[in-house]
């Protein structure tokens, strides 16, 4: 039961072949069986999941229409989205035990759609990281090889999918935190167009880049989930007031296997030094398959993409240094050192010191530096100009091509601990994913098989212009059908 | 020459309200120096004629009608507070001794 796609499970539940409660119990059982090894979940809400599933079963039994095409299907929610009455930690000690008094819009939409939320998934603290090793609650392990990282920051969500603990998950992607974990766990991860999914209730890291999106094991499942969580929300002032792109129709169209007339650009910057040979060979094989499906493929150069990584590691820390000022030990979360003798400012500093991990502190200080007078122009100001150049390169490339492709990550999953003491080496895991965040357009990762040298999953990244998310779904679905199954983690 | 000194890191930590330890200062000074030297390459292509982009979506102010709507109650708003008293957030002293 746990190996089915979400679409298959939904069909079985809605036709009465199985109950949503049975499906939820099967996944809760799987979590109990394997999560001791994987550590994908920070909190499992057995009671809430079974109650939500029962509601769907009641609808089916009474012959009422189900709430959505995914009603009754279980989901793992990244612990960065607030859940009323259920702990939300963002992988940080500073929010340990915090119970939000409200639901994020994404959470609310999932509940209204009858999706069964199994629990909250592990992540790099405040979504800052590429390996989930920065979680204050211990690392998540990659189900394909428990000694390796599952990617980050949303390693818990992707690992839950790869370990068959859930058929659906939600991640958030600021510099690749949905796509990179998707790539290294052999799962699908989508970063929708910026503003396509509400950020209300998404604990902010870098507000101009953060975007929630679907994580699944199939392209169609991602599309179905995308249409549930997407759409305008007046509670998010950066939400785009436009209809959700027709991603489900595009995925179904793509699955027919015809990409005649689709123009695909291969970004030449994402190759060469630092790229694992097995990753590049997997990518070349994907390019050949896309050609066989009828796509017209040519190289395209986006020279400013070479500067995306440094620009990102100025812009994201700058925004985070401002956003995380709200953790002041006064209104919610941890408070340390309030013994009656210390001032508010001292308590604030002691609390933030005790509550934040090293990567969060590093980024807060980088951001504070980049925004300080005297350094602003050279650092933050220049990074904003690079952002303009990246948008221009995308615009030019999308003038010639419908979608752009690249490997999602330069390497397959690395060993836990391998890059823990080398922040720059860690940052390079996001080399290929960052440009889409800076420009705000849509991008996704779809598995392109296993690397021939280490047998680990590789991801193909597909990027589309803003609000043209359906284009990448069509290409991804066609490619997925041609590629065939990649197998699964033997956990 | 390092682009950032240990003293500067200590100053940043103070500005950011982080009571970092001496050991952390040693660690962070080295790491921040490597990171800042690496990200400084943005200056290579950021010429004066390029306008900055702060946001991918062109933003304008978003308004709604000024009408009362349901919101968090006092109890809910205080539910996560480290300390509360008389329906308010209780905070350590804000003013100095002399006040």
């Amino acid at each position: 039961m746990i190996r089915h796609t979400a679409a298959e499970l939904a069909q079985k539940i809605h036709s009465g072949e199985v109950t949503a409660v049975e499906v939820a119990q099967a996944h809760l059982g799987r979590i109990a069986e394997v999560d001791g090894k994987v550590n994908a979940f920070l909190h499992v809400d057995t009671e809430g999941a079974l109650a939500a599933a029962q509601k769907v079963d009641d609808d089916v039994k009474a012959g009422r229409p189900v709430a959505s095409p995914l009603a009754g299907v279980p989901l793992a929610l990244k612990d960065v989205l607030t859940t009323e009455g259920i702990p939300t930690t963002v992988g940080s000690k500073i929010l340990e035990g915090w119970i939000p008094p409200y639901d994020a819009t994404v959470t609310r939409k999932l509940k209204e759609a009858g999706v069964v939320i199994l629990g909250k998934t592990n992540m790099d603290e405040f979504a800052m990281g590429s390996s989930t090793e920065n979680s204050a609650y211990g690392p998540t392990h990659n189900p394909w090889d428990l000694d390796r990282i599952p990617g980050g920051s949303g390693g818990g969500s992707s690992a839950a999918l790869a370990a068959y603990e859930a058929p659906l998950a939600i991640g958030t992607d600021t510099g690749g935190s949905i796509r990179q974990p998707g790539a290294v766990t052999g799962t699908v991860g989508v970063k929708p167009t910026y503003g396509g999914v509400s950020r209300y209730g998404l604990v902010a890291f870098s507000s101009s880049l953060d975007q929630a999106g679907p994580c699944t094991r199939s392209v169609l499942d991602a599309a179905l989930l995308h249409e549930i969580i997407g759409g305008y929300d007046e509670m998010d002032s950066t939400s785009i007031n436009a209809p959700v792109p027709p991603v489900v129709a595009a995925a179904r169209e793509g699955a027919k296997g015809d990409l005649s007339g689709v123009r695909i650009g291969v970004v030449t910057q994402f190759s060469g030094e630092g790229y694992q040979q097995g990753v590049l060979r997997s990518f070349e094989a994907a390019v050949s398959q896309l050609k066989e499906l009828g796509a017209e493929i040519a190289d395209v150069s986006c020279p400013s993409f070479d500067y995306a990584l440094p620009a990102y590691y100025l812009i994201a820390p700058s925004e985070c240094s401002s956003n995380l000022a709200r953790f002041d030990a006064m209104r919610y979360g941890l408070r340390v050192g309030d013994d009656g003798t210390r001032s508010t400012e001292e308590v604030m500093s002691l609390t933030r010191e005790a509550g934040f991990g090293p990567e969060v502190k590093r980024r807060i200080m980088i951001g504070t530096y980049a925004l300080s007078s005297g350094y602003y122009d050279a650092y933050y100001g220049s990074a904003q100009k690079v952002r303009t150049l990246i948008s221009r390169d995308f615009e030019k490339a999308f003038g010639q091509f419908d979608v752009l492709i690249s490997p999602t990550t330069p390497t397959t999953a690395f060993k836990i601990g391998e890059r823990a003491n080398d922040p720059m080496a860690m940052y390079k895991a996001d080399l290929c994913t960052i440009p889409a965040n800076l420009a705000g357009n849509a991008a996704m990762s779809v598995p392109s098989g296993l690397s021939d040298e280490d047998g680990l999953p590789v991801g193909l990244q597909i990027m589309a212009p803003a609000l043209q998310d359906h284009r990448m779904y069509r290409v991804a679905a066609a490619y997925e059908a041609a590629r065939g199954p990649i197998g699964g983690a033997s956990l | 020459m390092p682009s950032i000194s240990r003293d500067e890191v200590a100053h940043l930590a103070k500005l950011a309200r982080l009571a970092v330890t001496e050991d952390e200062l040693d660690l962070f000074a080295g790491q921040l120096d490597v990171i800042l030297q690496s990200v400084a390459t943005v200056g290579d292509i950021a010429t004066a004629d390029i306008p900055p982009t702060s946001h991918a979506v062109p933003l304008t102010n978003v308004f709604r009608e000024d009408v009362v709507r349901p919101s968090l109650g006092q109890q809910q708003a205080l539910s996560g507070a480290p300390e509360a008293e008389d329906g308010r957030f209780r905070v350590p002293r804000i003013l100095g001794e002399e006040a």
Side-chain angles (χ1 to χ4, degrees):
Chain A
M1 172 123 66
I2 57 172
R3 310 226 163 211
H4 290 299
T5 66
E8 289 164 353
L9 286 172
Q11 191 271 326
K12 287 178 191 295
I13 294 165
H14 301 170
S15 68
E17 191 185 328
V18 294
T19 66
V21 168
E22 285 167 342
V23 172
Q25 278 167 336
H27 287 92
L28 290 165
R30 176 69 174 171
I31 292 169
E33 181 195 336
V34 300
D35 209 52
K37 290 183 234 170
V38 179
N39 196 29
F41 284 85
L42 293 176
H43 182 85
V44 177
D45 181 21
T46 303
E47 201 183 312
L50 292 175
Q54 185 61 55
K55 228 174 129 220
V56 175
D57 288 338
D58 291 346
D59 282 343
V60 172
K61 210 171 282 172
R64 287 189 293 265
V66 289
S68 81
L70 292 176
V73 181
L75 174 139
L77 185 61
K78 191 177 180 184
D79 205 25
V80 67
L81 289 150
T82 59
T83 39
E84 185 179 349
I86 302 292
T88 300
T89 67
V90 202
S92 181
K93 287 284 177 202
I94 211 157
L95 279 181
E96 190 168 18
W98 181 56
I99 312 276
Y102 71 107
D103 277 334
T105 296
V106 168
T107 309
R108 176 177 60 78
K109 287 192 172 202
L110 290 169
K111 287 180 177 174
E112 286 170 1
V115 173
V116 174
I117 300 173
L118 296 170
K120 307 294 289 289
T121 56
N122 200 8
M123 54 185 286
D124 284 299
E125 185 177 7
F126 283 97
M128 298 177 198
S130 310
S131 69
T132 316
E133 290 168 287
N134 294 335
S135 168
Y137 305 97
T140 296
H141 300 261
N142 191 323
W144 290 81
D145 176 350
L146 294 171
D147 292 331
R148 292 178 187 270
I149 60 106
S153 64
S157 284
S158 294
L161 299 171
Y164 300 100
E165 294 172 288
L168 297 171
I170 296 289
T172 58
D173 192 311
T174 304
S177 288
I178 289 175
R179 290 163 285 159
Q180 182 255 2
V184 301
T185 59
T187 57
V188 176
V190 178
K191 184 200 88 72
T193 297
Y194 180 88
V197 177
S198 171
R199 289 187 301 109
Y200 180 68
L202 192 176
V203 179
F205 155 24
S206 183
S207 306
S208 80
L209 304 168
D210 297 340
Q211 184 59 221
C215 308
T216 57
R217 290 192 299 260
S218 85
V219 174
L220 177 62
D221 286 356
L224 291 164
L225 187 54
H226 190 142
E227 290 198 358
I228 286 172
I229 61 172
Y232 176 67
D233 179 18
E234 63 173 12
M235 298 301 282
D236 173 2
S237 62
T238 58
S239 174
I240 296 175
N241 198 347
V244 181
V247 293
V248 172
R252 293 195 195 281
E253 174 66 29
K256 292 177 189 161
D258 182 12
L259 291 180
S260 310
V262 177
R263 300 164 303 162
I264 300 179
V266 174
V267 180
T268 55
Q269 274 68 28
F270 297 139
S271 185
E273 202 192 330
Y275 285 78
Q276 192 178 318
Q277 288 306 310
V279 168
L280 294 177
R281 282 193 289 268
S282 174
F283 179 70
E284 289 310 322
V287 170
S288 301
Q289 261 172 327
L290 289 166
K291 270 185 198 153
E292 281 167 31
L293 291 164
E296 297 160 22
I297 303 190
D299 284 350
V300 59
S301 178
C302 298
S304 69
F305 286 11
D306 286 338
Y307 295 85
L309 188 80
Y312 174 84
Y313 278 99
L314 285 164
I315 290 168
S318 294
E319 293 189 18
C320 111
S321 73
S322 164
N323 267 326
L324 270 60
R326 67 172 57 100
F327 297 96
D328 57 8
M330 301 301 139
R331 295 160 296 158
Y332 41 78
L334 188 70
R335 180 182 287 182
V336 167
D338 183 18
D339 59 2
T341 70
R342 293 195 174 96
S343 70
T344 294
E345 196 176 316
E346 287 167 330
V347 169
M348 209 180 278
S349 299
L350 288 168
T351 301
R352 289 162 64 81
E353 166 64 15
F356 290 142
E359 181 63 17
V360 173
K361 290 179 196 170
R362 271 193 290 274
R363 294 205 196 183
I364 288 174
M365 288 194 283
I366 295 267
T368 305
Y369 184 79
L371 292 174
S372 58
S373 63
Y375 299 108
Y376 183 95
D377 287 342
Y379 288 98
Y380 186 66
S382 293
Q384 286 187 309
K385 290 180 176 183
V386 171
R387 197 170 182 179
T388 304
L389 294 176
I390 286 164
S391 294
R392 286 180 184 169
D393 275 355
F394 265 124
E395 223 168 281
K396 214 170 130 203
F398 285 131
Q400 293 172 267
F401 299 99
D402 299 307
V403 298
L404 304 178
I405 59 171
S406 76
T408 308
T409 57
T411 70
T412 54
F414 46 90
K415 288 259 172 73
I416 290 175
E418 195 178 303
R419 301 189 189 177
N421 297 316
D422 185 350
M424 280 316 299
M426 184 71 85
Y427 294 172
K428 284 182 181 150
D430 296 332
L431 210 54
C432 315
T433 46
I434 282 171
N437 296 88
L438 291 172
N441 53 288
M444 68 188 288
S445 179
V446 60
S448 64
L450 307 178
S451 166
D452 53 20
E453 62 210 339
D454 56 20
L456 293 167
V458 180
L460 167 69
Q461 179 175 232
I462 309 170
M463 296 172 272
L467 293 176
Q468 300 295 313
D469 305 42
H470 45 291
R471 287 192 199 171
M472 65 186 187
Y473 275 98
R474 182 184 166 197
V475 172
Y479 170 71
E480 177 184 60
R483 182 208 65 206
I486 63 159
S490 56
L491 185 72
Chain B
M1 201 189 89
S3 56
I4 187 162
S5 68
R6 194 176 183 280
D7 285 350
E8 281 178 292
V9 175
H11 179 62
L12 285 178
K14 192 165 180 288
L15 289 175
R17 304 289 183 270
L18 293 166
V20 295
T21 62
E22 292 296 313
D23 286 349
E24 277 181 314
L25 275 183
D26 292 333
L27 177 72
F28 290 151
Q31 289 177 337
L32 262 52
D33 187 50
V34 172
I35 296 168
L36 286 169
Q37 291 200 30
S38 169
V39 297
T41 54
V42 290
D44 297 351
I45 59 167
T47 51
D49 57 316
I50 305 162
T53 299
S54 60
H55 212 278
V57 181
L59 291 174
T60 49
N61 280 330
V62 178
F63 296 104
R64 69 167 173 88
E65 289 302 309
D66 185 17
V67 290
V68 176
R69 299 201 289 194
S71 60
L72 293 184
Q74 188 185 58
Q75 211 181 345
Q76 287 173 297
L78 290 169
S79 64
E83 274 196 86
E85 198 177 291
D86 299 335
R88 301 183 179 95
F89 295 102
R90 192 189 172 284
V91 303
R93 70 181 161 81
I94 291 167
L95 303 173
E97 293 293 335
E98 72 278 12

